[in-house]
């Protein structure tokens, strides 16, 4: 072999190997990276999104809707930096949402169940407070209660993630600029145990209170916003579309656009957290129609955010999840494609379907209702097994299963028809996806810890 050719080739190979994977990714044709300071930050979280959830939403979008998902299209078009993230908390390799959000918000790993408070009681200043002190506007938008763990982790310190009535009061003291989601029971004097009227408290501080979807069209410029659109969490996306009682509840993308529009003209910029919280709840229930459609609602919100960020040019967008949940996925088989596509026949969530059944239902009533709702034909044994839960013979536990509904049983029945399986009904410790766009996205390394995103935001914006 020619020695000069060999040395030339070796030098070329050595040069290539000197690049990190992130350097190679960033240099690919089509990648849009922006160095410099980020004026705005939009941090997007699909809570409890396992990789299988991301995959199935894209598969459903391509097979049924005829287009790829917006998240995966960012990868195809090489517009983003991409990483895998370790989601562990201080107390476990499997985190809860409070500790996960504290990793992003406080920059430290805390025990599950607490918000931005360390092992010795030390309070770590949440990131949205840091940005408020630096002159930015700050807000949170979610499909669950606005006082829930994920938005709270960016904003406050608390020993208990479940102290939602108190968290609602803390938000008022901080005077965050936009708060939108559910949770009327934490603001309404008729529903709070202490009878405090937090709506009045917020109004006295200059907030415009929004209660319905139509209110989004009548937002006054310059106002701080408190949008509380439901008691408890907002409805699942597929139920919001098909059930008339939810027609005046806004979609996540609509709330997000309103939040951006309200803050985007601030000369010092803004920071916004956007959470698809019901993706996590759907995974806890092994509810496939709820899961896919809420992930797709999050995906539509990605488009809303990216449309703004690409035009603006000064906005860092981070898209990720806080942890996996239930690790759903499609199962091999000759009919796997057709089985999976049959999910498009589902009109409602499993939650709505199972809540509709009551103990007076006969086996035939159950079979008729399941066919009407999901186009599934149950056999007599399956129908009788479901009846046993409503007759008090069997019970099923679960984090958001207050009524002891047979979520697991029904998901197993569906599995034999739709080829979707689940490993559990709870969080998992698997590594998760992160995508970043705009100024500061070049700082994202190929493998990170959840706390690294806290530092990335501060470094990207020079706060």
């Amino acid at each position: 072999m020619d020695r000069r050719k060999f040395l030339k080739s070796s030098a070329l190979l050595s040069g290539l190997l000197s690049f990190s994977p992130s350097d190679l990714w960033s240099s690919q044709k089509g990648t849009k990276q922006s160095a410099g300071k980020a004026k705005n930050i939009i941090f997007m979280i699909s809570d409890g999104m396992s990789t299988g959830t991301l995959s199935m939403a894209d598969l459903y979008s391509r097979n049924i809707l005829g287009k790829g998902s917006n998240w995966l299209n960012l990868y195809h078009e090489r517009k983003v930096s991409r990483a895998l993230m370790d989601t562990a908390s201080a107390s476990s390799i499997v985190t809860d949402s409070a500790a996960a959000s504290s990793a992003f918000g406080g920059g430290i790993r805390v025990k599950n169940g607490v918000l931005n408070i360390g092992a010795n009681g030390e309070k770590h200043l949440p990131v949205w407070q840091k940005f408020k002190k630096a002159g930015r506007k700050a807000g949170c938008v979610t499909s669950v209660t606005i006082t829930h763990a994920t938005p709270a982790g960016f904003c406050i310190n608390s020993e208990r993630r479940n102290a939602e009535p108190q968290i609602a009061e803390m938000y008022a003291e901080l005077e965050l600029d936009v708060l939108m989601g559910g949770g009327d029971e934490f603001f309404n004097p008729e529903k709070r145990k202490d009878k405090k009227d937090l709506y009045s408290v917020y109004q006295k501080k200059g907030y415009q209170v929004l209660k319905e979807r139509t209110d989004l069209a009548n937002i006054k410029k310059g106002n701080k916003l408190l949008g509380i659109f439901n008691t408890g969490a907002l409805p699942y996306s597929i139920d919001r579309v098909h059930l008339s009682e939810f027609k005046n509840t806004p979609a996540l993308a609509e709330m997000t656009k309103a939040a951006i529009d309200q803050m985007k003209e601030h000369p010092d910029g803004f920071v916004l957290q956007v959470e698809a919280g019901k993706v996590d709840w759907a995974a806890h229930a092994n509810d496939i129609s709820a899961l896919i459609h809420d992930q797709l609602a999050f995906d539509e919100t990605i488009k809303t955010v990216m449309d703004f960020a690409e035009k603006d040019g000064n906005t860092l967008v981070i898209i990720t999840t806080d942890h996996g949940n239930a690790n759903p996925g499609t199962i091999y088989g000759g009919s796997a494609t057709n089985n999976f596509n049959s999910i498009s026949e589902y009109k409602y969530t499993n939650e709505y379907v199972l809540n509709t059944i009551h103990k007076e239902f006969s086996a035939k009533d159950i079979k008729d209702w399941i066919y009407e709702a999901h186009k599934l034909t149950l056999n007599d044994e399956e129908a009788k097994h479901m009846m046993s839960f409503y007759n008090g013979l069997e019970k099923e536990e679960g984090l958001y299963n207050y009524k002891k509904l047979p979520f697991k049983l029904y998901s197993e029945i569906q599995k034999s028809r739709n080829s979707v399986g689940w490993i559990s009904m709870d969080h998992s410790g698997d590594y998760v996806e992160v995508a970043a766009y705009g100024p500061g996205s070049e700082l994202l390394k190929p493998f990170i810890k959840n706390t690294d995103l806290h530092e990335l935001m501060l470094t990207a914006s020079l706060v």
Side-chain angles (χ1 to χ4, degrees), residues 283-322:
H284 277 298
N286 288 185
D287 190 335
I288 189 60
S289 56
L291 185 83
I292 286 179
H293 288 279
D294 264 64
Q295 181 64 31
L296 289 174
F298 180 75
D299 197 68
E300 282 303 304
T301 310
I302 290 175
K303 183 179 186 306
T304 297
V305 168
M306 289 299 299
D307 284 348
F308 166 76
E310 290 190 279
K311 183 178 180 180
D312 175 70
N314 296 306
T315 300
L316 168 64
V317 180
I318 298 171
I319 307 170
T320 189
T321 180
D322 51 353

mmCIF file of all heavy atoms in Angstrom, residues 283-322:
data_model
loop_
_atom_site.group_PDB
_atom_site.id
_atom_site.type_symbol
_atom_site.label_atom_id
_atom_site.label_comp_id
_atom_site.label_asym_id
_atom_site.label_seq_id
_atom_site.Cartn_x
_atom_site.Cartn_y
_atom_site.Cartn_z
ATOM 1 N N ALA A 283 -51.176 7.302 30.067
ATOM 2 C CA ALA A 283 -50.262 6.175 30.221
ATOM 3 C C ALA A 283 -50.527 5.430 31.526
ATOM 4 O O ALA A 283 -50.494 4.194 31.565
ATOM 5 C CB ALA A 283 -48.818 6.660 30.165
ATOM 6 N N HIS A 284 -50.806 6.163 32.605
ATOM 7 C CA HIS A 284 -51.150 5.526 33.877
ATOM 8 C C HIS A 284 -52.376 4.625 33.734
ATOM 9 O O HIS A 284 -52.498 3.616 34.427
ATOM 10 C CB HIS A 284 -51.422 6.576 34.952
ATOM 11 C CG HIS A 284 -50.198 7.117 35.618
ATOM 12 N ND1 HIS A 284 -49.333 6.321 36.342
ATOM 13 C CD2 HIS A 284 -49.695 8.383 35.670
ATOM 14 C CE1 HIS A 284 -48.356 7.077 36.826
ATOM 15 N NE2 HIS A 284 -48.545 8.321 36.429
ATOM 16 N N ALA A 285 -53.280 4.998 32.852
ATOM 17 C CA ALA A 285 -54.511 4.235 32.659
ATOM 18 C C ALA A 285 -54.405 3.219 31.523
ATOM 19 O O ALA A 285 -55.367 2.503 31.253
ATOM 20 C CB ALA A 285 -55.671 5.190 32.378
ATOM 21 N N ASN A 286 -53.238 3.151 30.864
ATOM 22 C CA ASN A 286 -53.083 2.282 29.680
ATOM 23 C C ASN A 286 -54.192 2.559 28.673
ATOM 24 O O ASN A 286 -54.786 1.645 28.081
ATOM 25 C CB ASN A 286 -53.082 0.809 30.078
ATOM 26 C CG ASN A 286 -51.814 0.361 30.786
ATOM 27 O OD1 ASN A 286 -51.626 -0.822 31.084
ATOM 28 N ND2 ASN A 286 -50.925 1.293 31.087
ATOM 29 N N ASP A 287 -54.485 3.835 28.471
ATOM 30 C CA ASP A 287 -55.601 4.288 27.636
ATOM 31 C C ASP A 287 -55.062 4.763 26.291
ATOM 32 O O ASP A 287 -54.590 5.892 26.161
ATOM 33 C CB ASP A 287 -56.333 5.410 28.375
ATOM 34 C CG ASP A 287 -57.649 5.815 27.735
ATOM 35 O OD1 ASP A 287 -57.809 5.615 26.521
ATOM 36 O OD2 ASP A 287 -58.518 6.329 28.474
ATOM 37 N N ILE A 288 -55.129 3.908 25.291
ATOM 38 C CA ILE A 288 -54.441 4.163 24.034
ATOM 39 C C ILE A 288 -55.016 5.331 23.244
ATOM 40 O O ILE A 288 -54.269 6.139 22.683
ATOM 41 C CB ILE A 288 -54.375 2.887 23.153
ATOM 42 C CG1 ILE A 288 -53.459 3.105 21.941
ATOM 43 C CG2 ILE A 288 -55.757 2.432 22.734
ATOM 44 C CD1 ILE A 288 -52.024 3.443 22.292
ATOM 45 N N SER A 289 -56.334 5.468 23.187
ATOM 46 C CA SER A 289 -56.908 6.582 22.428
ATOM 47 C C SER A 289 -56.614 7.905 23.115
ATOM 48 O O SER A 289 -56.304 8.911 22.451
ATOM 49 C CB SER A 289 -58.415 6.396 22.227
ATOM 50 O OG SER A 289 -59.081 6.227 23.450
ATOM 51 N N ALA A 290 -56.680 7.924 24.448
ATOM 52 C CA ALA A 290 -56.319 9.136 25.186
ATOM 53 C C ALA A 290 -54.856 9.484 24.949
ATOM 54 O O ALA A 290 -54.503 10.646 24.704
ATOM 55 C CB ALA A 290 -56.585 8.941 26.675
ATOM 56 N N LEU A 291 -53.991 8.481 25.006
ATOM 57 C CA LEU A 291 -52.557 8.690 24.863
ATOM 58 C C LEU A 291 -52.191 9.265 23.502
ATOM 59 O O LEU A 291 -51.516 10.294 23.397
ATOM 60 C CB LEU A 291 -51.817 7.366 25.072
ATOM 61 C CG LEU A 291 -50.294 7.449 25.075
ATOM 62 C CD1 LEU A 291 -49.784 7.867 26.444
ATOM 63 C CD2 LEU A 291 -49.666 6.123 24.675
ATOM 64 N N ILE A 292 -52.636 8.620 22.448
ATOM 65 C CA ILE A 292 -52.250 9.043 21.103
ATOM 66 C C ILE A 292 -52.789 10.427 20.784
ATOM 67 O O ILE A 292 -52.070 11.295 20.267
ATOM 68 C CB ILE A 292 -52.702 8.010 20.052
ATOM 69 C CG1 ILE A 292 -51.808 6.773 20.138
ATOM 70 C CG2 ILE A 292 -52.659 8.607 18.642
ATOM 71 C CD1 ILE A 292 -52.171 5.674 19.168
ATOM 72 N N HIS A 293 -54.039 10.687 21.108
ATOM 73 C CA HIS A 293 -54.629 11.969 20.728
ATOM 74 C C HIS A 293 -54.102 13.125 21.567
ATOM 75 O O HIS A 293 -53.990 14.252 21.064
ATOM 76 C CB HIS A 293 -56.156 11.876 20.765
ATOM 77 C CG HIS A 293 -56.704 11.048 19.642
ATOM 78 N ND1 HIS A 293 -56.889 11.552 18.371
ATOM 79 C CD2 HIS A 293 -57.077 9.742 19.588
ATOM 80 C CE1 HIS A 293 -57.376 10.602 17.582
ATOM 81 N NE2 HIS A 293 -57.487 9.496 18.296
ATOM 82 N N ASP A 294 -53.748 12.882 22.826
ATOM 83 C CA ASP A 294 -53.130 13.966 23.595
ATOM 84 C C ASP A 294 -51.690 14.196 23.172
ATOM 85 O O ASP A 294 -51.211 15.330 23.200
ATOM 86 C CB ASP A 294 -53.243 13.692 25.094
ATOM 87 C CG ASP A 294 -54.444 14.403 25.690
ATOM 88 O OD1 ASP A 294 -55.572 14.068 25.294
ATOM 89 O OD2 ASP A 294 -54.259 15.312 26.514
ATOM 90 N N GLN A 295 -50.992 13.138 22.748
ATOM 91 C CA GLN A 295 -49.654 13.336 22.197
ATOM 92 C C GLN A 295 -49.734 14.103 20.878
ATOM 93 O O GLN A 295 -48.900 14.974 20.608
ATOM 94 C CB GLN A 295 -48.951 11.993 21.984
ATOM 95 C CG GLN A 295 -47.544 12.097 21.430
ATOM 96 C CD GLN A 295 -46.571 12.806 22.360
ATOM 97 O OE1 GLN A 295 -46.712 12.746 23.579
ATOM 98 N NE2 GLN A 295 -45.585 13.489 21.792
ATOM 99 N N LEU A 296 -50.747 13.817 20.073
ATOM 100 C CA LEU A 296 -50.927 14.554 18.821
ATOM 101 C C LEU A 296 -51.314 16.009 19.093
ATOM 102 O O LEU A 296 -50.930 16.907 18.336
ATOM 103 C CB LEU A 296 -51.975 13.873 17.940
ATOM 104 C CG LEU A 296 -51.545 12.541 17.324
ATOM 105 C CD1 LEU A 296 -52.707 11.887 16.581
ATOM 106 C CD2 LEU A 296 -50.358 12.729 16.371
ATOM 107 N N ALA A 297 -52.067 16.252 20.178
ATOM 108 C CA ALA A 297 -52.382 17.632 20.549
ATOM 109 C C ALA A 297 -51.105 18.371 20.940
ATOM 110 O O ALA A 297 -50.932 19.555 20.618
ATOM 111 C CB ALA A 297 -53.392 17.646 21.692
ATOM 112 N N PHE A 298 -50.217 17.688 21.646
ATOM 113 C CA PHE A 298 -48.905 18.258 21.959
ATOM 114 C C PHE A 298 -48.133 18.510 20.673
ATOM 115 O O PHE A 298 -47.472 19.545 20.521
ATOM 116 C CB PHE A 298 -48.132 17.303 22.862
ATOM 117 C CG PHE A 298 -46.759 17.784 23.252
ATOM 118 C CD1 PHE A 298 -46.602 18.788 24.203
ATOM 119 C CD2 PHE A 298 -45.619 17.242 22.678
ATOM 120 C CE1 PHE A 298 -45.335 19.242 24.581
ATOM 121 C CE2 PHE A 298 -44.343 17.680 23.046
ATOM 122 C CZ PHE A 298 -44.211 18.687 23.994
ATOM 123 N N ASP A 299 -48.228 17.586 19.729
ATOM 124 C CA ASP A 299 -47.519 17.730 18.460
ATOM 125 C C ASP A 299 -48.013 18.940 17.677
ATOM 126 O O ASP A 299 -47.224 19.635 17.042
ATOM 127 C CB ASP A 299 -47.680 16.446 17.642
ATOM 128 C CG ASP A 299 -46.662 16.348 16.527
ATOM 129 O OD1 ASP A 299 -45.458 16.198 16.835
ATOM 130 O OD2 ASP A 299 -47.059 16.451 15.348
ATOM 131 N N GLU A 300 -49.324 19.206 17.710
ATOM 132 C CA GLU A 300 -49.854 20.407 17.069
ATOM 133 C C GLU A 300 -49.330 21.658 17.768
ATOM 134 O O GLU A 300 -49.118 22.690 17.124
ATOM 135 C CB GLU A 300 -51.379 20.384 17.097
ATOM 136 C CG GLU A 300 -52.009 19.484 16.042
ATOM 137 C CD GLU A 300 -51.561 19.857 14.628
ATOM 138 O OE1 GLU A 300 -51.751 21.037 14.233
ATOM 139 O OE2 GLU A 300 -51.004 18.992 13.923
ATOM 140 N N THR A 301 -49.118 21.557 19.064
ATOM 141 C CA THR A 301 -48.572 22.683 19.811
ATOM 142 C C THR A 301 -47.120 22.937 19.427
ATOM 143 O O THR A 301 -46.669 24.090 19.408
ATOM 144 C CB THR A 301 -48.710 22.428 21.320
ATOM 145 O OG1 THR A 301 -50.054 22.034 21.607
ATOM 146 C CG2 THR A 301 -48.372 23.673 22.119
ATOM 147 N N ILE A 302 -46.396 21.884 19.112
ATOM 148 C CA ILE A 302 -45.028 22.047 18.597
ATOM 149 C C ILE A 302 -45.051 22.913 17.339
ATOM 150 O O ILE A 302 -44.221 23.818 17.171
ATOM 151 C CB ILE A 302 -44.369 20.682 18.308
ATOM 152 C CG1 ILE A 302 -44.071 19.945 19.614
ATOM 153 C CG2 ILE A 302 -43.093 20.856 17.484
ATOM 154 C CD1 ILE A 302 -43.532 18.537 19.416
ATOM 155 N N LYS A 303 -46.002 22.664 16.448
ATOM 156 C CA LYS A 303 -46.105 23.470 15.229
ATOM 157 C C LYS A 303 -46.385 24.934 15.574
ATOM 158 O O LYS A 303 -45.777 25.842 14.993
ATOM 159 C CB LYS A 303 -47.208 22.933 14.316
ATOM 160 C CG LYS A 303 -47.323 23.684 12.993
ATOM 161 C CD LYS A 303 -48.397 23.135 12.099
ATOM 162 C CE LYS A 303 -48.383 23.808 10.728
ATOM 163 N NZ LYS A 303 -48.464 25.298 10.799
ATOM 164 N N THR A 304 -47.294 25.161 16.509
ATOM 165 C CA THR A 304 -47.602 26.529 16.929
ATOM 166 C C THR A 304 -46.352 27.234 17.436
ATOM 167 O O THR A 304 -46.079 28.390 17.078
ATOM 168 C CB THR A 304 -48.671 26.508 18.038
ATOM 169 O OG1 THR A 304 -49.878 25.941 17.520
ATOM 170 C CG2 THR A 304 -48.952 27.904 18.566
ATOM 171 N N VAL A 305 -45.589 26.539 18.262
ATOM 172 C CA VAL A 305 -44.368 27.110 18.835
ATOM 173 C C VAL A 305 -43.304 27.330 17.765
ATOM 174 O O VAL A 305 -42.661 28.389 17.703
ATOM 175 C CB VAL A 305 -43.836 26.210 19.960
ATOM 176 C CG1 VAL A 305 -42.423 26.605 20.370
ATOM 177 C CG2 VAL A 305 -44.775 26.263 21.164
ATOM 178 N N MET A 306 -43.116 26.343 16.905
ATOM 179 C CA MET A 306 -42.085 26.457 15.878
ATOM 180 C C MET A 306 -42.421 27.522 14.841
ATOM 181 O O MET A 306 -41.526 28.206 14.333
ATOM 182 C CB MET A 306 -41.863 25.102 15.209
ATOM 183 C CG MET A 306 -41.162 24.078 16.083
ATOM 184 S SD MET A 306 -39.495 24.593 16.607
ATOM 185 C CE MET A 306 -38.674 24.761 15.016
ATOM 186 N N ASP A 307 -43.694 27.687 14.518
ATOM 187 C CA ASP A 307 -44.086 28.757 13.595
ATOM 188 C C ASP A 307 -43.653 30.107 14.148
ATOM 189 O O ASP A 307 -43.153 30.971 13.413
ATOM 190 C CB ASP A 307 -45.601 28.752 13.376
ATOM 191 C CG ASP A 307 -46.063 27.631 12.454
ATOM 192 O OD1 ASP A 307 -45.198 26.999 11.811
ATOM 193 O OD2 ASP A 307 -47.287 27.387 12.391
ATOM 194 N N PHE A 308 -43.838 30.287 15.452
ATOM 195 C CA PHE A 308 -43.393 31.538 16.083
ATOM 196 C C PHE A 308 -41.867 31.625 16.135
ATOM 197 O O PHE A 308 -41.275 32.645 15.767
ATOM 198 C CB PHE A 308 -43.968 31.659 17.496
ATOM 199 C CG PHE A 308 -43.302 32.727 18.307
ATOM 200 C CD1 PHE A 308 -43.593 34.073 18.074
ATOM 201 C CD2 PHE A 308 -42.351 32.406 19.279
ATOM 202 C CE1 PHE A 308 -42.947 35.071 18.810
ATOM 203 C CE2 PHE A 308 -41.714 33.400 20.008
ATOM 204 C CZ PHE A 308 -42.015 34.740 19.773
ATOM 205 N N ALA A 309 -41.212 30.551 16.589
ATOM 206 C CA ALA A 309 -39.772 30.584 16.821
ATOM 207 C C ALA A 309 -38.987 30.786 15.522
ATOM 208 O O ALA A 309 -37.992 31.526 15.502
ATOM 209 C CB ALA A 309 -39.328 29.299 17.511
ATOM 210 N N GLU A 310 -39.411 30.137 14.459
ATOM 211 C CA GLU A 310 -38.699 30.281 13.183
ATOM 212 C C GLU A 310 -38.822 31.700 12.641
ATOM 213 O O GLU A 310 -37.869 32.240 12.075
ATOM 214 C CB GLU A 310 -39.214 29.266 12.178
ATOM 215 C CG GLU A 310 -38.820 27.835 12.510
ATOM 216 C CD GLU A 310 -39.132 26.861 11.394
ATOM 217 O OE1 GLU A 310 -40.297 26.433 11.281
ATOM 218 O OE2 GLU A 310 -38.203 26.518 10.629
ATOM 219 N N LYS A 311 -39.978 32.299 12.826
ATOM 220 C CA LYS A 311 -40.175 33.676 12.370
ATOM 221 C C LYS A 311 -39.443 34.656 13.269
ATOM 222 O O LYS A 311 -38.847 35.632 12.797
ATOM 223 C CB LYS A 311 -41.670 34.000 12.343
ATOM 224 C CG LYS A 311 -41.987 35.392 11.815
ATOM 225 C CD LYS A 311 -43.491 35.622 11.761
ATOM 226 C CE LYS A 311 -43.806 37.026 11.237
ATOM 227 N NZ LYS A 311 -45.283 37.274 11.182
ATOM 228 N N ASP A 312 -39.451 34.379 14.567
ATOM 229 C CA ASP A 312 -38.846 35.289 15.545
ATOM 230 C C ASP A 312 -37.325 35.297 15.458
ATOM 231 O O ASP A 312 -36.701 36.356 15.465
ATOM 232 C CB ASP A 312 -39.300 34.886 16.952
ATOM 233 C CG ASP A 312 -38.634 35.698 18.034
ATOM 234 O OD1 ASP A 312 -38.951 36.901 18.147
ATOM 235 O OD2 ASP A 312 -37.786 35.145 18.765
ATOM 236 N N GLY A 313 -36.710 34.109 15.428
ATOM 237 C CA GLY A 313 -35.259 34.005 15.296
ATOM 238 C C GLY A 313 -34.475 34.196 16.584
ATOM 239 O O GLY A 313 -33.260 34.018 16.594
ATOM 240 N N ASN A 314 -35.154 34.548 17.676
ATOM 241 C CA ASN A 314 -34.465 34.784 18.942
ATOM 242 C C ASN A 314 -34.995 33.908 20.063
ATOM 243 O O ASN A 314 -34.838 34.236 21.239
ATOM 244 C CB ASN A 314 -34.623 36.262 19.353
ATOM 245 C CG ASN A 314 -33.965 37.207 18.377
ATOM 246 O OD1 ASN A 314 -32.791 37.066 18.070
ATOM 247 N ND2 ASN A 314 -34.732 38.160 17.872
ATOM 248 N N THR A 315 -35.629 32.801 19.711
ATOM 249 C CA THR A 315 -36.300 31.956 20.701
ATOM 250 C C THR A 315 -35.669 30.572 20.750
ATOM 251 O O THR A 315 -35.571 29.894 19.730
ATOM 252 C CB THR A 315 -37.798 31.830 20.368
ATOM 253 O OG1 THR A 315 -38.393 33.131 20.389
ATOM 254 C CG2 THR A 315 -38.510 30.929 21.365
ATOM 255 N N LEU A 316 -35.247 30.177 21.942
ATOM 256 C CA LEU A 316 -34.784 28.813 22.181
ATOM 257 C C LEU A 316 -36.006 27.947 22.499
ATOM 258 O O LEU A 316 -36.777 28.273 23.404
ATOM 259 C CB LEU A 316 -33.804 28.794 23.356
ATOM 260 C CG LEU A 316 -33.432 27.409 23.920
ATOM 261 C CD1 LEU A 316 -32.702 26.571 22.881
ATOM 262 C CD2 LEU A 316 -32.604 27.555 25.189
ATOM 263 N N VAL A 317 -36.161 26.865 21.769
ATOM 264 C CA VAL A 317 -37.243 25.915 22.009
ATOM 265 C C VAL A 317 -36.638 24.596 22.469
ATOM 266 O O VAL A 317 -35.750 24.051 21.795
ATOM 267 C CB VAL A 317 -38.101 25.683 20.741
ATOM 268 C CG1 VAL A 317 -39.221 24.681 21.034
ATOM 269 C CG2 VAL A 317 -38.677 26.999 20.232
ATOM 270 N N ILE A 318 -37.092 24.098 23.605
ATOM 271 C CA ILE A 318 -36.684 22.785 24.108
ATOM 272 C C ILE A 318 -37.920 21.904 24.144
ATOM 273 O O ILE A 318 -38.947 22.290 24.709
ATOM 274 C CB ILE A 318 -36.068 22.894 25.513
ATOM 275 C CG1 ILE A 318 -34.797 23.752 25.464
ATOM 276 C CG2 ILE A 318 -35.746 21.507 26.082
ATOM 277 C CD1 ILE A 318 -34.230 24.094 26.838
ATOM 278 N N ILE A 319 -37.828 20.736 23.535
ATOM 279 C CA ILE A 319 -38.957 19.807 23.458
ATOM 280 C C ILE A 319 -38.520 18.481 24.073
ATOM 281 O O ILE A 319 -37.551 17.867 23.610
ATOM 282 C CB ILE A 319 -39.396 19.578 21.998
ATOM 283 C CG1 ILE A 319 -39.651 20.913 21.289
ATOM 284 C CG2 ILE A 319 -40.659 18.712 21.948
ATOM 285 C CD1 ILE A 319 -39.845 20.774 19.778
ATOM 286 N N THR A 320 -39.228 18.032 25.090
ATOM 287 C CA THR A 320 -38.818 16.802 25.762
ATOM 288 C C THR A 320 -39.968 16.229 26.573
ATOM 289 O O THR A 320 -41.123 16.609 26.407
ATOM 290 C CB THR A 320 -37.585 17.071 26.665
ATOM 291 O OG1 THR A 320 -37.072 15.851 27.151
ATOM 292 C CG2 THR A 320 -37.915 18.002 27.821
ATOM 293 N N THR A 321 -39.637 15.299 27.456
ATOM 294 C CA THR A 321 -40.544 14.780 28.467
ATOM 295 C C THR A 321 -39.804 14.756 29.788
ATOM 296 O O THR A 321 -38.583 14.939 29.821
ATOM 297 C CB THR A 321 -41.044 13.374 28.107
ATOM 298 O OG1 THR A 321 -41.938 12.902 29.129
ATOM 299 C CG2 THR A 321 -39.880 12.389 27.994
ATOM 300 N N ASP A 322 -40.526 14.546 30.875
ATOM 301 C CA ASP A 322 -39.870 14.482 32.178
ATOM 302 C C ASP A 322 -39.490 13.060 32.561
ATOM 303 O O ASP A 322 -38.601 12.836 33.366
ATOM 304 C CB ASP A 322 -40.736 15.115 33.258
ATOM 305 C CG ASP A 322 -42.167 14.593 33.271
ATOM 306 O OD1 ASP A 322 -42.539 13.828 32.350
ATOM 307 O OD2 ASP A 322 -42.920 14.946 34.195
#
